[in-house]
Amino acid sequence: MSWREIALKRYRQFTMTFAVFLLALTTLLSGLPGNVQAAEDELGLSAEAAILLDGETGKVLYEKNADVVLGVASMSKMMTEYLVLEAIHKGTITWDQTVKIDEYIHRLSSAPGLSNIGLTQGEDYTVKELYEAMAIHSGNAATVALAQLIAGSEKNFVEMMNAKAKELNLEDYKFVNSSGLNNSSLLGNHPAGGADDENVMSARATAKLAYHLLKDYPEVLDTASKPRLEFRDGKTYDNFNFMLPTLVHAYEGIDGLKTGSTDFAGYAFTATAKRGDQRYISVVMKTDSRDIRFTETAKVMNYAFNSFSKEQIFDKGFQLKGQETVPVTKGKENSVAVQTDGELALPVKNGEKEQYQPKLVIDKDLLNEDGELTAPIEKGQTIGYMTVESKNGGDIQFITSKNEKAIQVPVVAAEEVEKANWFVLSMRGIGGFFGDLFSTIASTVKGWF
């Protein structure tokens, strides 16, 4: 056998061995509680990408291609809704404030093939009317009118959208207009990007936007949950979220949030549903039809409500066994008891509660080089946080703007520790000196024998 044949044989043996190793490793990792991707095969969705979150904590429960950047279409309007509600809260605009419709908004509102409510040129509409037209019937012209009101121009508003996305740490996104249309549909007035560009996001970024929209402005559901809009023109317009009560794909608990579709994006849907005290957020992207996005969303929500239940990980005042105290220097006591300042409950997949455990993290900036807190310490002073991890030590994934891997509950001092006076500190120093001296002498004497 030539040296070439020997080398080829050994190469094939190596590649086969490595492939077996990778298969074994993948199988092992698929069983870990932090590995949410394991649920993908279980659901078998036809959507290009999808994700499922706990609406309260942002815990990721399922994902499929969640970081692939895709067209987001009218789900972009969730960002416009966020900025409108933010402006309302800041007092920059009011619900009763009126907007006069210009020629461009009028022409856009009557453009064929676009979701719209007709807006009359020169007529005044309130912010509330335009917002409802956008949020319920996905009115594109109404969306642009609101963008112009808030930022002076849609171009300026798109800059605000991208800035807010960065602030919320969405990561995978690009906004080129306020509505989610392809720029080619904007009658030559596209505010950013190329003539055929449109907004893109990943499923994870879209879910994160929905999570913060619900957290920061829960009143968004007051409008998103309305199955129909009765407008001033005397017409009734259906919400494109056909999973709302009384509509064709009605699903128990669904009360939002936003659909989207373009040729580039396919059919997508960001949904939220609540039953009892549990709320979930789901995103499905790039399905093949209007109806499929709803049937796939139903699969995700069924998985959520049937496979998970809220479990108490720890209560307020919880002390982690073996870490009930933290050492203290220069205090009347040499340690301080610590406990959680809140509780933590999470949706846990049925039968997996024992795989989760609390984890204590002390603020390193408060510790000296010996790992001690320095007195004085006030009762209730925050000294760290409690989070949760899987028993194998792996991270559990959460969607939050500050920390992507963990949700944190403050840990505080359960008691006060006063600073010791100079006499006590002096005596401790003397005692420490003689203790060290005695230990040195003892070690020396021991060495003689």
Side-chain angles (χ1 to χ4, degrees):
M1 183 178 296
S2 69
W3 68 269
R4 294 178 183 274
E5 292 173 324
I6 294 173
L8 181 61
K9 181 178 180 181
R10 289 181 177 176
Y11 173 75
R12 287 172 176 169
Q13 290 174 338
F14 169 77
T15 54
M16 290 182 63
T17 302
F18 187 67
V20 171
F21 167 76
L22 286 179
L23 178 61
L25 181 62
T26 302
T27 303
L28 173 63
L29 292 177
S30 67
L32 302 182
N35 190 345
V36 295
Q37 189 66 33
E40 179 182 344
D41 292 337
E42 184 175 352
L43 299 190
L45 298 183
S46 62
E48 181 73 20
I51 195 168
L52 171 67
L53 305 182
D54 171 38
E56 179 61 29
T57 64
K59 182 185 177 188
V60 180
L61 307 176
Y62 166 84
E63 62 180 84
K64 173 186 178 181
N65 299 330
D67 297 306
V68 175
V69 177
L70 299 168
V72 70
S74 281
M75 294 193 301
S76 312
K77 292 183 174 76
M78 291 190 293
M79 178 60 83
T80 302
E81 290 172 2
Y82 190 103
L83 291 172
V84 170
L85 293 170
E86 182 179 63
I88 291 288
H89 277 251
K90 289 181 176 179
T92 307
I93 62 174
T94 66
W95 289 120
D96 295 331
Q97 185 172 342
T98 58
V99 179
K100 190 176 294 293
I101 300 304
D102 62 24
E103 180 189 4
Y104 168 58
I105 299 298
H106 164 67
R107 288 194 299 114
L108 184 62
S109 76
S110 56
L114 305 182
S115 58
N116 265 316
I117 290 177
L119 302 174
T120 304
Q121 183 177 349
E123 191 165 335
D124 290 331
Y125 294 81
T126 66
V127 168
K128 184 175 183 180
E129 287 178 311
L130 294 172
Y131 179 86
E132 289 180 338
M134 171 182 67
I136 298 175
H137 194 62
S138 202
N140 291 295
T143 303
V144 178
L146 289 169
Q148 291 178 348
L149 171 67
I150 291 174
S153 69
E154 189 178 12
K155 180 179 185 298
N156 292 340
F157 189 81
V158 170
E159 292 177 0
M160 291 177 62
M161 294 173 77
N162 285 294
K164 182 59 67 174
K166 182 178 180 180
E167 179 185 325
L168 296 176
N169 195 25
L170 300 192
E171 294 186 350
D172 299 312
Y173 64 89
K174 182 178 76 171
F175 293 106
V176 296
N177 60 58
S178 62
S179 63
L181 289 172
N182 189 287
N183 273 347
S184 62
S185 298
L186 294 175
L187 309 181
N189 290 295
H190 59 271
D196 294 313
D197 282 352
E198 63 183 78
N199 300 337
V200 294
M201 298 175 75
S202 66
R204 191 183 311 280
T206 306
K208 188 184 294 188
L209 173 58
Y211 174 80
H212 286 293
L213 180 58
L214 290 171
K215 280 288 189 180
D216 297 343
Y217 305 109
E219 65 268 29
V220 68
L221 294 179
D222 295 340
T223 305
S225 62
K226 293 181 178 179
R228 297 175 179 84
L229 170 65
E230 294 181 2
F231 204 63
R232 67 158 71 177
D233 59 7
K235 298 179 181 178
T236 299
Y237 298 87
D238 279 350
N239 194 318
F240 285 110
N241 175 3
F242 291 167
M243 297 185 79
L244 290 171
T246 76
L247 298 184
V248 62
H249 288 281
Y251 184 94
E252 181 187 354
I254 291 281
D255 53 5
L257 196 53
K258 193 69 195 74
T259 59
S261 64
T262 62
D263 291 341
F264 172 66
Y267 293 84
F269 183 32
T270 298
T272 183
K274 184 177 182 181
R275 295 180 186 175
D277 62 350
Q278 189 58 54
R279 175 174 293 281
Y280 295 104
I281 298 168
S282 69
V283 177
V284 296
M285 298 181 74
K286 204 160 189 178
T287 67
D288 292 335
S289 74
R290 182 194 69 181
D291 291 334
I292 288 176
R293 65 182 168 187
F294 298 126
T295 58
E296 299 305 276
T297 295
K299 290 179 185 178
V300 177
M301 287 297 182
N302 286 339
Y303 173 71
F305 286 112
N306 296 335
S307 302
F308 293 85
S309 57
K310 184 174 287 188
E311 299 284 355
Q312 198 79 4
I313 306 300
F314 53 78
D315 299 316
K316 182 176 182 179
F318 171 77
Q319 293 182 303
L320 187 59
K321 187 175 181 180
Q323 294 180 277
E324 295 91 345
T325 63
V326 176
V328 174
T329 185
K330 298 183 179 180
K332 289 186 176 180
E333 289 81 29
N334 59 13
S335 66
V336 61
V338 297
Q339 62 187 28
T340 57
D341 194 35
E343 61 180 21
L344 177 61
L346 294 176
V348 174
K349 196 170 184 181
N350 298 338
E352 292 187 357
K353 183 179 180 182
E354 297 305 315
Q355 298 184 31
Y356 294 84
Q357 64 185 13
K359 177 183 177 181
L360 175 64
V361 179
I362 303 298
D363 187 347
K364 292 181 180 179
D365 292 337
L366 300 178
L367 300 176
N368 63 18
E369 59 184 11
D370 296 320
E372 301 169 316
L373 297 170
T374 302
I377 298 170
E378 297 180 2
K379 183 177 181 179
Q381 178 181 333
T382 300
I383 57 94
Y385 64 87
M386 192 79 70
T387 185
V388 61
E389 64 179 3
S390 61
K391 285 192 175 179
N392 59 53
D395 289 320
I396 300 170
Q397 195 173 8
F398 293 87
I399 281 190
T400 63
S401 58
K402 293 181 179 179
N403 189 312
E404 295 300 320
K405 294 183 178 179
I407 193 164
Q408 304 172 1
V409 174
V411 168
V412 300
E415 56 195 354
E416 179 183 10
V417 177
E418 296 181 7
K419 186 174 182 178
N421 59 42
W422 67 270
F423 180 77
V424 172
L425 294 176
S426 298
M427 290 300 99
R428 286 180 183 171
I430 293 171
F433 170 77
F434 283 109
D436 292 341
L437 179 61
F438 177 80
S439 296
T440 302
I441 293 172
S443 297
T444 301
V445 173
K446 183 177 180 181
W448 293 346
F449 298 94

